Structures are given as structure tokens and as C-alpha cells.
Amino acid sequence: MGLSKARAHTNIALIKYWGKANQKLILPATSSISMTLAAFYTDTQVEFDDSLAADSFTLDGELQSAKAAARVSAFVDLVRERAGMHTFAHIASVNHVPTAAGLASSASAFAALAVAASDAAGLKLTPTELSRLARRGSGSASRSIFGDMVIWHRGTDDKSSYAEPLAMNPQLDLRMIAVVVDDMPKSIGSRVGMQRTVATSPYFPAWVTANEAAAREMQTALTAGDMPTVGALTERSAMMMHASTMAANPPFTYLQPVSLALFNFAAELRATGLQVYATADAGPNVKLLTTAQDAAAVLQQVQAKFNVKAVMSGPGPAARIID
Ligand code: DP6
């Protein structure tokens, strides 16, 4: 028992997770597939300390309110339960995400916390166990335990819902370009947004069926190294997810006019021979999936046409203990 520090990278889903089958355990309605990104990560240090009367949580050096720390504490409770301990902890996180890149995510946060807290508590968890644990903090965090391409199997219970690395054709040398169209906090968080979609969108059952099929097709395309199919499935999963929110009651969308303009621009660039496909999560920022070969040209074209900040990343490594 003591002090441990971990690093976990963010991930962007090509096949989206949207909607839970079980809110308490965070079991997703569909499987999802993501790419872990080298450029963006969270470092988290956990130190259990017998002299503490409560957990303390700092983010980027600033002490967070008790309310903000509650989700972190609830997560550390899972680790304490498992280790049979009652000691509180100092938790210090630093996000290494380019300022206002719109990528600060719960995925890297809870993956780093899972690795650091379990290690500091003396638990020796396997990567699969870490993925299941991280999932309890935030669904997408289950995927950030692993590097490169990752699949989160939806499963049917706590044991069967975990992520694992996904083999892919080495010829696919992928890049992701995060295009920042807006760095304001989102008005409807993903947790609330997906709940409303599950509860009220008549498109939700169709989303589950179609996205699960897309996850299977994506695995085949990744193995084959079939970039046009990987890209087409990526765009379709995003559009199906956003369609499901537009059909919720009351309806809502995360996409802004400029987000859609970027989807259209990706299609225009494809017509000129570049491999580039768009995706978007619970916010207006767009991420462009492209290849190592085309990334520089895509970045340059996007910046020439839109007055936006864009940051490129390659695939990143698995979550790990650092000094
Ligand atoms: C749109 O993992 O943040 O980014 O499980 O409620 O914490 P919770 O949700 P979260 O949702 C991510 C949704 C998404 C798509 C994805 O990453 O697959």
C-alpha cells in the first residue's frame, strides 16, 4: 500500500458506445471500437494516507470541490472494497491535452485512476480486470487501458463486459486529426444525453442493431486493411449515434453547422483522392480519421478552408505505471 502514478491515453471511438444496458455497472448497449491516441493523456497519482479523514482530489494542480470529487471517490471506493481497506487517498491528476483541444476526456482520466489506485492499494490486476474496473468509472475508460486499436465487448454482466486489443492489418497506419470548432463545455453531458436517448428515442433499438453489425464489419475491414470500409463504417456509426439523439424527446444534437461542414469537407477531400473520414462525439468538435500518408495534406487543407485549430495524433500505447 502506498503511492502509485499512472498514465493513460485518450481514445476516439470509430464504432461508438452510446447507451447503457445497465447504468450501475456501466454495461453498454452495443460493443464499440476505438483508437488510443498518443498525443493526449492523463497522469494520475494516488497516495493512500492513514492520516486523511476524506479523499482529496486535485486536477491540474487545483483542489476540486467535494462535489466534483464525489465521482472520483466513488470509484476509489470500488478499489478499497476489493482490497479490503478503508484508507482515504490524495488523488492528483494532470491532463496533457493541448489547451482547448476539446479532448479532455473521462476515458483517460478513469483509466489512469484505475491503474494508479489499484496499484497503490496493492492489487495485482490483469489488463482485463483493469478494463472492467475502469469501465465502472466511465464506459469509454475501459478502452483506454489498451493501446492502438481496441474493442470493448458489450458483454452481458460485469465479468463479460471488457475491452481488449484488436488485431489489425499492419498496412493500416492510421492518424486522427482533432479539429477544434468549440471549446465550451457541452450543455448536455454524454451520460445524461445517452440516458435520454435510451429512454425516449424510437431510433435507439435500431441504433443498437445497426451499430452491433457495424462493429462486426469493422473487425473484418481492420483485418483486411480495407481503409475505405474502415472509414465508411466510422462515419456511419457517428451519424447513426447523432441521429438517435435527434430523435430523442426532447430532441437534441451535439453537432453544429461547422461540424457538418467538416463532414462534407471530408467527402470533398475524398473526391480528390485523400483518405479521410469524419467522426464526432458528445460535442461539436470533429475528429478526422486518415492515414499516415495523407495526414499532412488533410491537416493543411482543413486549416486552409476553416479558421480552426487542429491537432494530429498517431496511435498511442496502453495505460501503465510511470515513475
Ligand atoms: C460519445 O464513456 O463518457 O464519446 O460511461 O457515462 O461515463 P459514461 O460515458 P462516456 O461516453 C462516451 C461516449 C462517446 C462515444 C465513445 O467514446 O464510444
Side-chain angles (χ1 to χ4, degrees), residues 13 17 20 26 71 106 138-140 143 190-191 194 281:
Y17 149 51
K20 296 177 180 69
I26 310 197
R71 188 167 162 194
S106 56
S138 188
S140 52
R143 300 186 307 240
S190 55
R191 194 156 279 191
M194 67 174 83
D281 293 296

Side-chain angles (χ1 to χ4, degrees), residues 11-20 23 26-27 31-34 71 105-107 110 134-143 152 186 189-192 194-195 207 241-242 254 280-283 287:
N11 70 74
I12 297 296
L14 310 187
I15 299 296
K16 301 297 182 195
Y17 149 51
W18 194 250
K20 296 177 180 69
Q23 289 187 35
I26 310 197
L27 304 180
S31 301
S32 53
I33 295 174
S34 61
R71 188 167 162 194
S105 93
S106 56
F110 281 98
R135 191 198 77 225
R136 300 288 301 273
S138 188
S140 52
S142 66
R143 300 186 307 240
W152 173 18
K186 44 197 167 187
S190 55
R191 194 156 279 191
V192 169
M194 67 174 83
Q195 265 166 32
W207 151 257
M241 172 196 134
H242 290 283
Y254 295 110
D281 293 296
K287 291 96 182 181

Side-chain angles (χ1 to χ4, degrees), residues 30 35-37 40 56 90 98 109 117 130 141 158 196 211 275 286 318:
T30 82
M35 178 173 154
T36 299
L37 301 186
F40 317 115
S56 78
H90 296 283
L130 284 169
D158 175 59
R196 189 191 296 176
N211 200 55
Q275 290 285 352
V286 168

Side-chain angles (χ1 to χ4, degrees), residues 252-265:
F252 65 103
T253 187
Y254 295 110
L255 302 174
Q256 296 289 322
V258 61
S259 319
L260 290 168
L262 280 153
F263 273 77
N264 289 337
F265 192 57

Side-chain angles (χ1 to χ4, degrees), residues 115 124-134 141-142 144-146 162-165 318-319:
V115 173
K124 297 272 170 272
L125 302 185
T126 64
T128 305
E129 288 170 325
L130 284 169
S131 176
R132 287 169 47 208
L133 175 62
S142 66
S144 272
I145 294 297
F146 302 99
Y162 59 85
E164 65 179 357

